[in-house]
Amino acid sequence: MNPFPEHRQIAVLLADDHAVVRKGIRDFLEEDATIAVIGEADDGAEAWRLLAQQQPDVAVLDIRMPQLSGIELTQRIKQHYPAVRVLILTAYDDEPYVLALLRAGADGYVLKTAQSSDLVRAVKQVYAGKSVLDPEIAPKVLATLTRPQQIETLSERELAVVRGVAKGWTNRKIGRALSISDRTVQGHLANVFGKLQVNSRTEVVTVALHQGLIT
């Protein structure tokens, strides 16, 4: 059975905070007649609003975005719109990011160094219900999954971010308290998610309390 009938295009929502990058991605995708980009967002909160309005087939997300990170947005999508497939398209191949996104429910993870044909193929594959992992990061993920699981040590800055999360602070408030940017806070949280093997801020606090990392 052909999953891409001629009358049915794959509706895609793009979220990336760089307009030039979004245009390039859109151009690549829409070269294929079976794909239609129905919306674009330059931050996570806008992407969430558009998604609620349009409910695309596939959401193509970057990781580091203002307001809501790709990790947080993926969690929301999978909780409220489980039928929407999530493809992460990013420049970050750091192991904590990859694992945090996969735990959050991302259906695919592709690097921005991929060929345009690989990106189009990835969108079609996740739409068809398959999982996609960029070949450059697949070995890292497999190596991690086959290692004995243990809680990794958090850095002092990561612990400070966890304390802010435990107080119910937003990323912006944590950043101001630590004199760092929202994006840096997002990066530290991604590392924390990976090290603590969790996929939500609530789980961060629960595990940190259980491990005695915070009181």
Side-chain angles (χ1 to χ4, degrees):
M1 178 180 177
N2 180 9
F4 314 115
E6 291 183 3
H7 65 279
R8 177 68 168 91
Q9 290 180 300
I10 305 170
V12 173
L13 172 68
L14 294 181
D16 192 297
D17 59 342
H18 294 92
V20 173
V21 173
R22 285 201 315 275
K23 183 181 185 305
I25 296 171
R26 180 174 195 145
D27 289 346
F28 286 149
L29 293 179
E30 292 194 329
E31 286 181 359
D32 190 294
T34 66
I35 297 175
V37 176
I38 62 171
E40 296 183 34
D42 59 9
D43 65 61
E46 182 183 3
W48 176 245
R49 289 192 295 271
L50 288 175
L51 189 137
Q53 295 169 5
Q54 301 175 353
Q55 296 191 31
D57 300 310
V58 179
V60 178
L61 313 176
D62 195 4
I63 296 178
R64 290 192 175 187
M65 296 185 290
Q67 305 300 323
L68 282 175
S69 71
I71 297 171
E72 294 168 307
L73 186 54
T74 298
Q75 291 170 340
R76 287 193 182 189
I77 291 172
K78 289 305 178 179
Q79 180 179 357
H80 297 280
Y81 303 102
V84 176
R85 307 291 287 176
V86 176
L87 176 65
I88 302 300
L89 179 63
T90 183
Y92 299 98
D93 63 352
D94 307 66
E95 182 181 302
Y97 280 124
V98 181
L99 294 178
L101 263 304
L102 295 180
R103 292 189 180 106
D107 302 291
Y109 198 111
V110 177
L111 298 178
K112 288 181 177 176
T113 53
Q115 299 294 319
S116 59
S117 58
D118 293 330
L119 173 58
V120 169
R121 186 180 304 110
V123 168
K124 291 183 176 183
Q125 288 177 326
V126 296
Y127 173 69
K130 300 177 181 178
S131 297
V132 178
L133 194 59
D134 193 291
E136 289 190 26
I137 58 178
K140 296 181 182 181
V141 174
L142 291 174
T144 300
L145 294 177
T146 56
R147 285 202 304 261
Q149 296 298 303
Q150 59 182 9
I151 299 297
E152 297 182 52
T153 302
L154 301 186
S155 68
E156 286 301 318
R157 183 49 60 87
E158 289 166 352
L159 281 171
V161 169
V162 170
R163 294 187 190 103
V165 172
K167 294 175 183 177
W169 291 357
T170 62
N171 287 358
R172 178 171 296 181
K173 188 170 183 179
I174 294 172
R176 287 176 178 171
L178 299 178
S179 299
I180 57 179
S181 69
D182 296 5
R183 288 193 172 194
T184 301
V185 173
Q186 289 179 10
H188 286 310
L189 270 177
N191 290 337
V192 169
F193 280 19
K195 289 181 177 181
L196 298 187
Q197 303 169 30
V198 300
N199 56 25
S200 73
R201 295 168 82 96
T202 300
E203 287 183 284
V204 164
V205 176
T206 301
V207 173
L209 286 169
H210 180 72
Q211 295 291 327
L213 301 176
I214 58 175
T215 58

PDB file of all heavy atoms in Angstrom, residues 5 11 30 47 54 57-58 66 71 95 97 119 125 128 133 135 153 160 168 175 177 189 200:
ATOM      1  N   PRO A   5      -0.529   8.753  -0.958  1.00  0.00           N
ATOM      2  CA  PRO A   5      -1.403   8.880  -2.120  1.00  0.00           C
ATOM      3  C   PRO A   5      -1.278  10.268  -2.722  1.00  0.00           C
ATOM      4  O   PRO A   5      -0.960  11.236  -2.044  1.00  0.00           O
ATOM      5  CB  PRO A   5      -2.806   8.648  -1.536  1.00  0.00           C
ATOM      6  CG  PRO A   5      -2.674   8.947  -0.073  1.00  0.00           C
ATOM      7  CD  PRO A   5      -1.291   8.535   0.284  1.00  0.00           C
ATOM      8  N   ALA A  11       1.667  16.980   5.875  1.00  0.00           N
ATOM      9  CA  ALA A  11       1.638  18.335   6.428  1.00  0.00           C
ATOM     10  C   ALA A  11       2.741  18.474   7.478  1.00  0.00           C
ATOM     11  O   ALA A  11       2.773  17.729   8.461  1.00  0.00           O
ATOM     12  CB  ALA A  11       0.278  18.624   7.051  1.00  0.00           C
ATOM     13  N   GLU A  30       9.856  21.058   0.199  1.00  0.00           N
ATOM     14  CA  GLU A  30       8.789  21.278  -0.778  1.00  0.00           C
ATOM     15  C   GLU A  30       9.220  21.006  -2.214  1.00  0.00           C
ATOM     16  O   GLU A  30       8.414  21.134  -3.136  1.00  0.00           O
ATOM     17  CB  GLU A  30       8.228  22.688  -0.617  1.00  0.00           C
ATOM     18  CG  GLU A  30       7.484  22.838   0.708  1.00  0.00           C
ATOM     19  CD  GLU A  30       6.634  24.079   0.786  1.00  0.00           C
ATOM     20  OE1 GLU A  30       7.010  25.093   0.158  1.00  0.00           O
ATOM     21  OE2 GLU A  30       5.596  24.040   1.484  1.00  0.00           O
ATOM     22  N   ALA A  47       5.540  27.556  18.124  1.00  0.00           N
ATOM     23  CA  ALA A  47       5.338  26.241  17.509  1.00  0.00           C
ATOM     24  C   ALA A  47       4.197  25.501  18.186  1.00  0.00           C
ATOM     25  O   ALA A  47       3.377  24.859  17.526  1.00  0.00           O
ATOM     26  CB  ALA A  47       6.623  25.422  17.590  1.00  0.00           C
ATOM     27  N   GLN A  54      -3.186  23.759  13.869  1.00  0.00           N
ATOM     28  CA  GLN A  54      -3.091  23.092  12.574  1.00  0.00           C
ATOM     29  C   GLN A  54      -2.920  21.582  12.652  1.00  0.00           C
ATOM     30  O   GLN A  54      -3.242  20.874  11.709  1.00  0.00           O
ATOM     31  CB  GLN A  54      -1.928  23.697  11.783  1.00  0.00           C
ATOM     32  CG  GLN A  54      -2.089  25.193  11.560  1.00  0.00           C
ATOM     33  CD  GLN A  54      -0.877  25.816  10.891  1.00  0.00           C
ATOM     34  OE1 GLN A  54       0.149  25.174  10.706  1.00  0.00           O
ATOM     35  NE2 GLN A  54      -0.982  27.078  10.531  1.00  0.00           N
ATOM     36  N   ASP A  57       1.025  16.574  10.371  1.00  0.00           N
ATOM     37  CA  ASP A  57       1.402  15.164  10.437  1.00  0.00           C
ATOM     38  C   ASP A  57       2.771  14.998  11.095  1.00  0.00           C
ATOM     39  O   ASP A  57       2.991  14.066  11.870  1.00  0.00           O
ATOM     40  CB  ASP A  57       1.463  14.557   9.027  1.00  0.00           C
ATOM     41  CG  ASP A  57       0.137  14.629   8.313  1.00  0.00           C
ATOM     42  OD1 ASP A  57      -0.882  14.221   8.906  1.00  0.00           O
ATOM     43  OD2 ASP A  57       0.105  15.099   7.162  1.00  0.00           O
ATOM     44  N   VAL A  58       3.691  15.912  10.751  1.00  0.00           N
ATOM     45  CA  VAL A  58       5.071  15.828  11.250  1.00  0.00           C
ATOM     46  C   VAL A  58       5.513  17.210  11.723  1.00  0.00           C
ATOM     47  O   VAL A  58       5.304  18.209  11.029  1.00  0.00           O
ATOM     48  CB  VAL A  58       6.042  15.341  10.141  1.00  0.00           C
ATOM     49  CG1 VAL A  58       7.476  15.292  10.676  1.00  0.00           C
ATOM     50  CG2 VAL A  58       5.615  13.967   9.626  1.00  0.00           C
ATOM     51  N   PRO A  66      14.030  29.628  21.811  1.00  0.00           N
ATOM     52  CA  PRO A  66      13.491  30.435  22.902  1.00  0.00           C
ATOM     53  C   PRO A  66      12.146  29.898  23.383  1.00  0.00           C
ATOM     54  O   PRO A  66      11.458  29.171  22.669  1.00  0.00           O
ATOM     55  CB  PRO A  66      13.332  31.821  22.251  1.00  0.00           C
ATOM     56  CG  PRO A  66      14.252  31.807  21.068  1.00  0.00           C
ATOM     57  CD  PRO A  66      14.248  30.396  20.580  1.00  0.00           C
ATOM     58  N   ILE A  71      13.143  19.693  23.499  1.00  0.00           N
ATOM     59  CA  ILE A  71      12.841  18.601  24.436  1.00  0.00           C
ATOM     60  C   ILE A  71      11.474  18.818  25.073  1.00  0.00           C
ATOM     61  O   ILE A  71      10.618  17.925  25.082  1.00  0.00           O
ATOM     62  CB  ILE A  71      13.928  18.493  25.521  1.00  0.00           C
ATOM     63  CG1 ILE A  71      15.275  18.145  24.894  1.00  0.00           C
ATOM     64  CG2 ILE A  71      13.544  17.445  26.568  1.00  0.00           C
ATOM     65  CD1 ILE A  71      16.443  18.223  25.862  1.00  0.00           C
ATOM     66  N   GLU A  95      25.539  13.407  23.080  1.00  0.00           N
ATOM     67  CA  GLU A  95      24.815  12.236  23.560  1.00  0.00           C
ATOM     68  C   GLU A  95      23.653  12.584  24.496  1.00  0.00           C
ATOM     69  O   GLU A  95      22.557  12.036  24.349  1.00  0.00           O
ATOM     70  CB  GLU A  95      25.807  11.301  24.256  1.00  0.00           C
ATOM     71  CG  GLU A  95      25.215  10.010  24.762  1.00  0.00           C
ATOM     72  CD  GLU A  95      26.291   9.182  25.444  1.00  0.00           C
ATOM     73  OE1 GLU A  95      27.306   8.866  24.803  1.00  0.00           O
ATOM     74  OE2 GLU A  95      26.109   8.879  26.622  1.00  0.00           O
ATOM     75  N   TYR A  97      21.748  15.217  24.621  1.00  0.00           N
ATOM     76  CA  TYR A  97      20.638  15.754  23.840  1.00  0.00           C
ATOM     77  C   TYR A  97      19.885  14.632  23.138  1.00  0.00           C
ATOM     78  O   TYR A  97      18.653  14.561  23.166  1.00  0.00           O
ATOM     79  CB  TYR A  97      21.147  16.728  22.782  1.00  0.00           C
ATOM     80  CG  TYR A  97      21.462  18.113  23.271  1.00  0.00           C
ATOM     81  CD1 TYR A  97      22.723  18.664  23.077  1.00  0.00           C
ATOM     82  CD2 TYR A  97      20.496  18.886  23.909  1.00  0.00           C
ATOM     83  CE1 TYR A  97      23.014  19.951  23.516  1.00  0.00           C
ATOM     84  CE2 TYR A  97      20.785  20.167  24.340  1.00  0.00           C
ATOM     85  CZ  TYR A  97      22.040  20.694  24.140  1.00  0.00           C
ATOM     86  OH  TYR A  97      22.320  21.960  24.572  1.00  0.00           O
ATOM     87  N   LEU A 119      16.948  14.286   4.443  1.00  0.00           N
ATOM     88  CA  LEU A 119      15.925  14.960   5.244  1.00  0.00           C
ATOM     89  C   LEU A 119      14.530  14.624   4.735  1.00  0.00           C
ATOM     90  O   LEU A 119      13.633  14.294   5.520  1.00  0.00           O
ATOM     91  CB  LEU A 119      16.153  16.469   5.202  1.00  0.00           C
ATOM     92  CG  LEU A 119      15.074  17.338   5.862  1.00  0.00           C
ATOM     93  CD1 LEU A 119      14.893  16.958   7.319  1.00  0.00           C
ATOM     94  CD2 LEU A 119      15.427  18.812   5.714  1.00  0.00           C
ATOM     95  N   GLN A 125       9.721   8.764   6.376  1.00  0.00           N
ATOM     96  CA  GLN A 125       9.835   7.573   7.222  1.00  0.00           C
ATOM     97  C   GLN A 125       9.111   7.749   8.552  1.00  0.00           C
ATOM     98  O   GLN A 125       8.403   6.848   9.000  1.00  0.00           O
ATOM     99  CB  GLN A 125      11.310   7.229   7.446  1.00  0.00           C
ATOM    100  CG  GLN A 125      11.988   6.651   6.214  1.00  0.00           C
ATOM    101  CD  GLN A 125      13.459   6.373   6.434  1.00  0.00           C
ATOM    102  OE1 GLN A 125      14.147   7.087   7.162  1.00  0.00           O
ATOM    103  NE2 GLN A 125      13.977   5.335   5.789  1.00  0.00           N
ATOM    104  N   ALA A 128       5.478   7.575   8.087  1.00  0.00           N
ATOM    105  CA  ALA A 128       5.031   6.193   7.861  1.00  0.00           C
ATOM    106  C   ALA A 128       5.121   5.336   9.122  1.00  0.00           C
ATOM    107  O   ALA A 128       4.829   4.144   9.083  1.00  0.00           O
ATOM    108  CB  ALA A 128       5.861   5.558   6.747  1.00  0.00           C
ATOM    109  N   LEU A 133      17.281   7.563  12.861  1.00  0.00           N
ATOM    110  CA  LEU A 133      18.415   8.044  13.642  1.00  0.00           C
ATOM    111  C   LEU A 133      19.574   8.298  12.697  1.00  0.00           C
ATOM    112  O   LEU A 133      19.975   7.411  11.935  1.00  0.00           O
ATOM    113  CB  LEU A 133      18.815   6.998  14.698  1.00  0.00           C
ATOM    114  CG  LEU A 133      19.750   7.461  15.820  1.00  0.00           C
ATOM    115  CD1 LEU A 133      19.149   8.616  16.605  1.00  0.00           C
ATOM    116  CD2 LEU A 133      20.064   6.296  16.751  1.00  0.00           C
ATOM    117  N   PRO A 135      22.898   8.396  10.901  1.00  0.00           N
ATOM    118  CA  PRO A 135      23.985   7.407  10.994  1.00  0.00           C
ATOM    119  C   PRO A 135      25.227   7.916  11.731  1.00  0.00           C
ATOM    120  O   PRO A 135      26.003   7.119  12.253  1.00  0.00           O
ATOM    121  CB  PRO A 135      24.304   7.085   9.529  1.00  0.00           C
ATOM    122  CG  PRO A 135      23.716   8.202   8.733  1.00  0.00           C
ATOM    123  CD  PRO A 135      22.525   8.660   9.497  1.00  0.00           C
ATOM    124  N   THR A 153      27.475  11.981  37.409  1.00  0.00           N
ATOM    125  CA  THR A 153      27.655  13.106  38.315  1.00  0.00           C
ATOM    126  C   THR A 153      27.296  14.420  37.618  1.00  0.00           C
ATOM    127  O   THR A 153      27.703  14.665  36.487  1.00  0.00           O
ATOM    128  CB  THR A 153      29.119  13.180  38.796  1.00  0.00           C
ATOM    129  OG1 THR A 153      29.453  11.948  39.425  1.00  0.00           O
ATOM    130  CG2 THR A 153      29.299  14.324  39.782  1.00  0.00           C
ATOM    131  N   ALA A 160      23.012  23.726  40.152  1.00  0.00           N
ATOM    132  CA  ALA A 160      22.372  25.020  40.389  1.00  0.00           C
ATOM    133  C   ALA A 160      21.101  25.156  39.551  1.00  0.00           C
ATOM    134  O   ALA A 160      20.085  25.676  40.021  1.00  0.00           O
ATOM    135  CB  ALA A 160      23.352  26.147  40.061  1.00  0.00           C
ATOM    136  N   GLY A 168      10.594  25.787  41.007  1.00  0.00           N
ATOM    137  CA  GLY A 168       9.538  26.117  40.071  1.00  0.00           C
ATOM    138  C   GLY A 168       9.860  27.293  39.175  1.00  0.00           C
ATOM    139  O   GLY A 168       8.974  27.863  38.536  1.00  0.00           O
ATOM    140  N   GLY A 175      18.250  31.553  34.501  1.00  0.00           N
ATOM    141  CA  GLY A 175      19.341  32.217  33.794  1.00  0.00           C
ATOM    142  C   GLY A 175      19.743  33.524  34.454  1.00  0.00           C
ATOM    143  O   GLY A 175      20.929  33.820  34.610  1.00  0.00           O
ATOM    144  N   ALA A 177      19.305  34.353  37.585  1.00  0.00           N
ATOM    145  CA  ALA A 177      19.917  34.074  38.885  1.00  0.00           C
ATOM    146  C   ALA A 177      21.368  33.628  38.745  1.00  0.00           C
ATOM    147  O   ALA A 177      22.206  33.918  39.602  1.00  0.00           O
ATOM    148  CB  ALA A 177      19.110  33.010  39.622  1.00  0.00           C
ATOM    149  N   LEU A 189      20.006  21.854  31.093  1.00  0.00           N
ATOM    150  CA  LEU A 189      18.879  20.956  31.368  1.00  0.00           C
ATOM    151  C   LEU A 189      18.932  19.705  30.500  1.00  0.00           C
ATOM    152  O   LEU A 189      18.616  18.603  30.959  1.00  0.00           O
ATOM    153  CB  LEU A 189      17.553  21.693  31.142  1.00  0.00           C
ATOM    154  CG  LEU A 189      16.963  22.418  32.344  1.00  0.00           C
ATOM    155  CD1 LEU A 189      15.692  23.150  31.941  1.00  0.00           C
ATOM    156  CD2 LEU A 189      16.686  21.459  33.488  1.00  0.00           C
ATOM    157  N   SER A 200      11.444  14.834  31.937  1.00  0.00           N
ATOM    158  CA  SER A 200      10.590  15.955  32.315  1.00  0.00           C
ATOM    159  C   SER A 200      11.198  16.679  33.509  1.00  0.00           C
ATOM    160  O   SER A 200      12.015  16.110  34.254  1.00  0.00           O
ATOM    161  CB  SER A 200       9.173  15.489  32.668  1.00  0.00           C
ATOM    162  OG  SER A 200       9.171  14.823  33.916  1.00  0.00           O
TER     163      SER A 200
END
